């Protein structure tokens, strides 16, 4: 059982380039989330999805777009990367329909923007 | 609005000594509380959770936490730490608001176990 899988694990981009981070979960979870983790700031929610075909903004959505075309996949896109987007990105999933369920996390994507 | 405060950013402790990592929360509705652990270069893993019932919650790897409603705290404890406990620990509060499960994380506490 793979759980939550993120690809790629590492990436270096130049300012202005675009890329897509992929998250896949095999637990049939309804809810999926994208966070970024920066030193001293904990995890901040970028976007989330409450089901296939739905997305919504989180705490820090600017500069990112997402899509959830299939229930098991949640894509995070950077259209024009900026150095401020250098971070570790985590995807998570949960049953979500009740708040007492924990989130399951991937191992992260370490992204550097030069 | 909910919030989580982890009072210590780093906690050094000698191996086999006890440790307490502090967490205070605020929320306007009933909450569910979690502790997650993050080992280097890995994602967060669930350590334990408080949903209801007994205020003392036991988790994996010998950790436990006590929910104190009057103090709005959920401190994490272990009576004797091991080198392998060196990691970052995140307290989180979850509720259902705005149509989705909203989870707010603290900024994390780095536990450094000294041999």
């Amino acid at each position: 059982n793979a759980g939550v899988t993120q690809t790629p694990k590492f990436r270096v981009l130049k300012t202005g380039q675009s890329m897509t981070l992929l998250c896949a979960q095999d637990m049939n979870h309804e809810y999926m989330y994208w966070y970024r983790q920066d030193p001293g700031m904990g995890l901040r929610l970028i976007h989330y999805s409450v089901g296939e075909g739905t997305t919504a903004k989180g705490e820090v959505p600017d500069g990112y777009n997402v899509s959830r075309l299939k229930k098991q996949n949640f894509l995070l896109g950077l259209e024009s990367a900026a150095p401020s987007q250098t971070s570790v990105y985590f995807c998570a999933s949960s049953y979500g329909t009740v708040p007492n369920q924990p989130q399951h996390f991937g191992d992260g994507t370490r992204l550097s923007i030069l | 609005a909910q919030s989580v405060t982890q009072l210590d950013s780093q906690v050094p402790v000698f191996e086999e000594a006890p440790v307490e990592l502090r967490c205070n929360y605020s929320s306007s509705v009933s909450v569910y509380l979690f502790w997650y652990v993050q080992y280097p270069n890995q994602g967060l893993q669930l350590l334990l959770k408080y949903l209801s019932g007994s205020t003392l919650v036991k988790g994996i790897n010998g950790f436990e936490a006590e929910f104190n409603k009057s103090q709005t705290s959920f401190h994490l404890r272990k009576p004797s730490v091991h080198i392998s406990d060196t990691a970052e620990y995140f307290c989180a509060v979850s509720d259902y608001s705005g149509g989705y499960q909203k989870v707010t994380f603290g900024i994390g506490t780095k536990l450094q176990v000294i041999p």
Side-chain angles (χ1 to χ4, degrees):
Chain A
N1 190 346
V4 178
T5 303
Q6 292 183 234
T7 52
K9 296 188 184 304
F10 304 94
R11 188 72 183 269
V12 178
L13 291 178
K14 294 181 179 179
T15 297
Q17 287 185 317
S18 63
M19 79 162 294
T20 300
L21 282 64
L22 173 64
C23 176
Q25 54 96 2
D26 61 3
M27 295 171 283
N28 201 35
H29 285 165
E30 288 293 334
Y31 284 35
M32 296 187 74
Y33 311 80
W34 276 107
Y35 294 92
R36 59 178 289 173
Q37 183 180 31
D38 301 291
M41 303 189 76
L43 279 80
R44 293 181 291 169
L45 183 65
I46 304 171
H47 285 279
Y48 65 96
S49 168
V50 301
E52 182 179 314
T54 72
T55 64
K57 294 180 180 180
E59 183 184 354
V60 288
D62 293 343
Y64 305 95
N65 56 76
V66 288
S67 64
R68 182 106 180 263
L69 299 179
K70 294 183 178 181
K71 186 177 182 178
Q72 63 268 34
N73 295 336
F74 195 29
L75 278 65
L76 177 70
L78 286 73
E79 291 185 346
S80 179
S84 61
Q85 294 177 304
T86 292
S87 187
V88 182
Y89 292 86
F90 286 99
C91 176
S93 70
S94 73
Y95 287 106
T97 50
V98 289
N100 62 1
Q101 297 298 314
Q103 295 187 343
H104 298 256
F105 286 82
D107 284 340
T109 295
R110 285 148 186 81
L111 184 60
S112 293
I113 316 296
L114 303 178
Chain B
Q2 57 188 16
S3 67
V4 176
T5 302
Q6 290 185 245
L7 298 163
D8 305 295
S9 60
Q10 294 189 53
V11 173
V13 62
F14 286 104
E15 192 174 15
E16 297 184 5
V19 68
E20 178 179 83
L21 305 183
R22 297 179 293 170
C23 173
N24 286 90
Y25 70 92
S26 67
S27 177
S28 59
V29 296
S30 297
V31 297
Y32 303 93
L33 296 160
F34 303 84
W35 275 99
Y36 289 85
V37 59
Q38 184 181 30
Y39 298 105
N41 299 316
Q42 294 186 25
L44 278 69
Q45 304 172 32
L46 181 67
L47 201 56
L48 50 79
K49 60 184 178 182
Y50 172 78
L51 306 181
S52 64
S54 173
T55 57
L56 185 61
V57 180
K58 294 190 182 298
I60 61 172
N61 300 338
F63 283 92
E64 62 182 31
E66 186 161 15
F67 170 64
N68 187 321
K69 188 174 182 178
S70 62
Q71 306 253 341
T72 60
S73 67
F74 191 53
H75 299 333
L76 181 70
R77 302 186 182 102
K78 186 170 183 178
S80 176
V81 295
H82 302 287
I83 293 290
S84 59
D85 293 325
T86 295
E88 190 159 17
Y89 294 79
F90 291 90
C91 182
V93 59
S94 171
D95 69 13
Y96 194 81
S97 65
Y100 77 104
Q101 179 196 23
K102 180 177 172 59
V103 181
T104 301
F105 291 87
I107 64 170
T109 297
K110 291 184 178 178
L111 175 62
Q112 182 185 6
V113 180
I114 305 165

